[in-house]
Amino acid sequence: MATLDYNPKSKSKKRGEVPPGLYPFRVTFAEPKVFNSKKNPGTKLPGMTAHLDVFSPNQVIKAYENFFLTEDALWKLEKFGDCIGLPWDEENPHATEEYMNKTGQAYFTREKGNKYLVVKEFVMPKSNSSEKSSAAVPPSVSDDDILF
């Protein structure tokens, strides 16, 4: 009779923590969202949340980025759009579906006391399309490679 080689008390192989740095990413999901203002409780702020797959050398990790559609914070969404090839057009804003599967690069950092990476700065693509970086093209991965 065959037995299962499984011990629930044994520690699973843990993946290493991804250090801050420059990594390519892919937008896997984007949705409109209404945020509560921290400065003015009770005030609602329109925005968008983007889900990113961040491709480190040994693993793919999830990251989330929030964008506020206010005059003071719109610069961040503009930088994000430029990074992934969707320049901001105030007259014709992009639908969230247009962000899906776009790729780019960003410097990611980890804030003190936070275990998740956050975007420090979006990197603009090179203007010369013949000099495409292979790092900007995320590798093919399976769902088993993605940390949740």
Side-chain angles (χ1 to χ4, degrees):
M1 173 185 223
T3 60
L4 292 176
D5 186 20
Y6 173 71
N7 181 355
K9 292 183 181 181
S10 69
K11 294 186 178 184
S12 63
K13 192 169 117 180
K14 200 172 187 180
R15 298 177 191 194
E17 188 174 274
V18 176
L22 176 66
Y23 298 110
F25 67 86
R26 178 184 296 127
V27 181
T28 58
F29 185 71
E31 66 179 338
K33 192 168 182 175
V34 177
F35 298 94
N36 293 316
S37 172
K38 291 181 181 178
K39 289 183 180 178
N40 301 314
T43 301
K44 304 289 184 186
L45 301 172
M48 179 182 88
T49 296
H51 300 211
L52 311 174
D53 278 351
V54 180
F55 299 93
S56 74
N58 300 320
Q59 60 190 320
V60 178
I61 59 170
K62 296 285 186 188
Y64 305 92
E65 195 64 30
N66 295 323
F67 302 94
F68 300 99
L69 302 178
T70 62
E71 191 173 324
D72 292 341
L74 200 53
W75 64 269
K76 186 176 176 185
L77 185 58
E78 290 177 17
K79 288 266 194 195
F80 176 63
D82 289 343
C83 173
I84 62 173
L86 277 177
W88 179 254
D89 181 354
E90 199 166 324
E91 301 292 317
N92 299 301
H94 298 290
T96 53
E97 299 83 33
E98 293 181 75
Y99 292 92
M100 298 290 293
N101 294 313
K102 297 289 186 188
T103 59
Q105 286 189 321
Y107 285 101
F108 289 86
T109 188
R110 186 172 284 104
E111 295 173 348
K112 188 173 183 176
N114 190 347
K115 66 179 184 174
Y116 300 105
L117 290 178
V118 295
V119 174
K120 180 177 182 180
E121 181 182 358
F122 292 107
V123 176
M124 299 307 114
K126 290 184 168 46
S127 59
N128 185 349
S129 60
S130 67
E131 293 181 22
K132 286 187 177 178
S133 168
S134 61
V137 179
S140 177
V141 294
S142 73
D143 288 341
D144 296 334
D145 295 329
I146 300 174
L147 295 177
F148 293 96

